[in-house]
Amino acid sequence: MRLARDICRRLEGVPLAIELAAAQAAQYPLAQLARMLEPAQGWLGVPDAPLRRHRSLRAAVGAGYALCGVTERTVWARLSVFAGDFDEDAAVFVCAGGGLDAEDVPGALARLALASVLEPVRDPGGVLAPRYRMPAAVRGFGAERLQSAGETAAAVSRHLYWYGHVASTAHHLWSTGLHERAAALVRDEEAELRAALSREPSGADQAATALALAVDLWFWWAVCGHAAQGRAVLSRLLPLGRSDTRVCGQALWLAGWLAVNTDPVGATELLGQAWCVAVLAGDDATVGRVSHVQGALALEDGRTERAIAHLREAADTIPVDAEHGPPAAVSWALLAVAQARDRPADAWRSVRRASAGPQPRHDLWTRSMTQYAQAFVDHSRGRRSRAWRRAHKALAGALGVAGAARPPRQGGPPGTGGAAATATASAPGPPEATGGGASAETPVIASMAGPPGAALIHRLIAEIEAGRPPV
């Protein structure tokens, strides 16, 4: 039953495709049939169908292609590089050129939608801009036409450059504190971004563009819970481009940061390579961020003085307006955590430095990390009630960021993702009022070295409520 549902899902509910696949079920086991349908579907067919166009899925799609005009056929073929749904602007950028004017593309999209070649994802007459998707069988036929016309490389290149622009836009939204809009943009375009990153670059320029795209999505990999996927993408792209560019140094640092919780040895090697490339490229931000991760690793290993030295270097080195990674405020916050036990006065000064910059005022994630450091320092100084309140503010911020990365709940405001309910449920009252008690949440990974999140704050809350000294 599960395999049958999987086959119907792959065939996207197209009645003719399902009927033709059912005819193949007598010849192939369902598991094998599902695997055969993954790369292509046009081969599905039966020799004795009454109508010739129903004898194979490819013949049925080809009959529709024969009824299209030249403009529609060209747009159909070029649209085959899209893996999921897309908007009109993306279609115009990818399809225009080579004898096709940009103003002709929107009309061709509408006519292809009327011919059921494209499926409208949104109501074309609605408030939001229309989006379309191409069924798999139709896309496969278009890819064949594109290949025979010798235009595949050009269309793939334009697709990559367009979604490089999308990733850059999402990065700038995140950098200005518009976390929900940034995450929603990546979520809407995730299938196309994944397709752009998964294709083999045809040269050094395309490899550099793909690597820059991956670096622009640093917040999606590191903060929004996709670290394993981001590390896999960077590991595949890094050997394909030049190794002496600024973006290569940023990618090496990001790959190292994403790997510290699962492969500390590999992460250390990547960070060393990133430091060398960043120094030669004059990239102070990446040099500082390498020091930040090295300081966090030293702190987790109990080498406090070494951690303080690395984190101070990071806080002093990362420029105020640095992009593509945590700002200097996060380094100041972690420095305060390192100083909290033995240097409480220095720790409080570091906390004030973390809070004083422009980033915590508009960046919810940075503000959450700063509030975590404040709570940690307060707890170290015995101010449990104040520490508890600040820790829960930090937790609400971390859950808010995590909620922004998830699709909105039905009937709830965009970006909530259940974060507010979780934050409220885990906040019964200050430890003096409740008499202590461990937090109900059990963190999976509570690491300072990797991308920080709610698990780290949950651990601090458990320590505050239990009256234990901070770790």
Side-chain angles (χ1 to χ4, degrees):
M1 191 67 177
R2 181 184 60 81
L3 287 171
R5 285 198 301 268
D6 184 49
I7 290 172
C8 292
R9 179 185 58 79
R10 291 179 188 276
L11 296 173
E12 300 170 319
V14 177
L16 177 62
I18 294 174
E19 181 180 343
L20 295 174
Q24 301 294 326
Q27 185 175 357
Y28 301 104
L30 290 183
Q32 182 181 353
L33 182 59
R35 289 194 300 271
M36 293 169 65
L37 291 173
E38 187 171 355
Q41 301 175 5
W43 60 273
L44 284 173
V46 291
D48 55 351
L51 295 177
R52 180 172 296 181
R53 67 176 183 272
H54 288 173
R55 290 178 184 174
S56 73
L57 193 56
R58 190 180 186 283
V61 176
Y65 184 81
L67 297 175
C68 293
V70 175
T71 299
E72 288 74 28
R73 291 182 182 185
T74 303
V75 172
W76 180 342
R78 294 176 182 178
L79 290 176
S80 65
V81 298
F82 288 97
D85 57 89
F86 52 88
D87 61 20
E88 189 175 284
D89 290 340
V92 170
F93 185 85
V94 171
C95 294
L100 181 64
D101 294 332
E103 57 265 24
D104 295 334
V105 176
L109 294 176
R111 291 190 290 274
L112 289 172
L114 287 174
S116 300
V117 175
L118 296 178
E119 298 176 356
V121 177
R122 293 175 181 161
D123 181 7
V127 176
L128 297 175
R131 292 181 70 88
Y132 303 94
R133 65 178 299 277
M134 184 174 276
V138 176
R139 185 167 61 249
F141 187 91
E144 293 178 10
R145 300 295 92 201
L146 191 68
Q147 183 68 35
S148 65
E151 296 183 346
T152 301
V156 166
S157 177
R158 294 179 73 84
H159 180 275
L160 172 62
Y161 283 106
W162 176 262
Y163 285 98
H165 166 71
V166 169
S168 178
T169 301
H171 159 65
H172 287 298
L173 288 171
W174 183 275
S175 300
T176 54
L178 300 174
H179 296 340
E180 289 189 7
R181 289 182 58 186
L185 177 59
V186 177
R187 197 166 55 240
D188 287 346
E189 306 291 359
E190 189 173 5
E192 299 306 325
L193 291 167
R194 190 184 300 118
L197 290 169
S198 63
R199 294 187 178 112
E200 195 75 15
S202 62
D205 289 344
Q206 276 199 16
T209 301
L211 197 60
L213 191 163
V215 171
D216 276 332
L217 295 178
W218 72 270
F219 65 92
W220 184 253
W221 314 130
V223 184
C224 297
H226 302 274
Q229 181 186 355
R231 186 186 175 196
V233 167
L234 291 166
S235 297
R236 190 181 65 82
L237 291 176
L238 275 166
L240 303 179
R242 290 179 55 185
S243 60
D244 58 349
T245 61
R246 179 182 293 253
V247 71
C248 177
Q250 293 170 341
L252 285 166
W253 162 79
L254 180 56
W257 191 34
L258 297 176
V260 291
N261 285 330
T262 55
D263 183 12
V265 176
T268 302
E269 182 179 346
L270 288 166
L271 292 170
Q273 296 174 17
W275 185 88
C276 294
V277 174
V279 168
L280 293 174
D283 186 0
D284 290 342
T286 300
V287 171
R289 286 172 181 142
V290 169
S291 294
H292 174 95
V293 181
Q294 289 173 335
L297 286 169
L299 186 58
E300 287 200 342
D301 291 340
R303 297 172 291 157
T304 305
E305 291 303 317
R306 188 175 182 83
I308 290 173
H310 278 305
L311 291 167
R312 185 176 295 280
E313 179 183 355
D316 290 336
T317 304
I318 299 174
V320 174
D321 57 349
E323 297 184 338
H324 299 105
V330 175
S331 297
W332 282 113
L334 192 54
L335 176 60
V337 171
Q339 296 168 328
R341 178 173 298 176
D342 300 323
R343 307 181 187 181
D346 290 344
W348 192 245
R349 281 193 290 269
S350 296
V351 164
R352 292 175 65 87
R353 289 289 298 272
S355 307
Q359 201 77 15
R361 288 196 289 271
H362 68 261
D363 187 332
L364 179 62
W365 176 63
T366 302
R367 186 164 66 248
S368 173
M369 293 301 102
T370 302
Q371 289 167 336
Y372 166 80
Q374 291 174 329
F376 193 97
V377 173
D378 280 333
H379 183 38
S380 300
R381 300 170 73 180
R383 299 174 177 177
R384 291 179 62 204
S385 182
R386 180 184 294 182
W388 187 93
R389 287 192 294 269
R390 282 177 166 161
H392 274 283
K393 287 181 180 179
L395 177 61
L399 292 172
V401 172
R406 293 193 293 268
R409 295 178 298 169
Q410 294 294 328
T416 55
T422 305
T424 303
S426 62
E432 285 79 1
T434 61
S439 172
E441 298 284 346
T442 302
V444 179
I445 296 177
S447 170
M448 292 182 182
L456 195 64
I457 307 170
H458 273 301
R459 186 173 71 179
L460 177 61
I461 291 174
E463 291 164 355
I464 295 170
E465 293 179 349
R468 299 192 301 268
V471 179

